[in-house]
Amino acid sequence: MSINHKINYLELPAADLDSVERFYRDAFDWKFVPYGPDYLAFNDGFIDGGFYRAELSSSTENGAALVILYTEDLERSLAAVIRCGGSIVKEIFSFPGGRRFHFADPNGNELAVWSDK
């Protein structure tokens, strides 16, 4: 499979890099590598990305693209988000093909988690 023209990297803003690192590490087991005081790279086990220091956040309300994670256990993932300091933006709802919820990380970036179960 060619990686030509495939999504290869994802970047999100974060005012507090330490809090987003702690949140995604604890909630989803992401791995991190710091690149100076203003950039934190991550790998979620599938895709690479990073957080850049900025007083901004990404949300669908502001027209941002929605990053959606997959899980085999939606309720367990929702509990992890809450336990690790995220907030629920949209409770679990059904759609053709599965169910999902939206959350905000400690920086206010909105992401979603979905499951086909």
Side-chain angles (χ1 to χ4, degrees):
M1 178 176 93
S2 171
I3 63 170
N4 192 44
H5 299 147
K6 305 297 186 261
I7 294 173
N8 181 255
Y9 201 83
L10 172 70
E11 290 187 330
L12 292 166
D16 183 345
L17 297 178
D18 291 336
S19 69
V20 295
E21 178 180 5
R22 191 170 35 259
F23 172 77
Y24 287 101
R25 182 190 64 231
D26 295 349
F28 301 117
D29 199 30
W30 291 9
K31 307 301 183 219
F32 291 88
V33 176
Y35 288 97
D38 296 322
Y39 198 86
L40 182 64
F42 70 80
N43 179 279
D44 70 355
F46 185 69
I47 192 169
D48 292 311
F51 290 94
Y52 58 93
R53 189 175 306 280
E55 297 292 329
L56 302 168
S57 63
S58 176
S59 79
T60 58
E61 186 176 289
N62 296 329
L66 181 62
V67 176
I68 304 173
L69 313 176
Y70 176 79
T71 186
E72 294 178 352
D73 187 333
L74 198 62
E75 285 75 16
R76 178 179 279 165
S77 294
L78 184 133
V81 165
I82 294 168
R83 182 182 69 250
C84 295
S87 60
I88 303 306
V89 175
K90 289 185 184 177
E91 294 289 340
I92 293 175
F93 63 94
S94 296
F95 64 91
R99 300 178 307 136
R100 78 181 194 203
F101 68 90
H102 294 207
F103 69 91
D105 69 18
N107 188 72
N109 293 310
E110 180 184 355
L111 286 82
V113 181
W114 86 282
S115 180
D116 52 0
K117 298 174 183 174

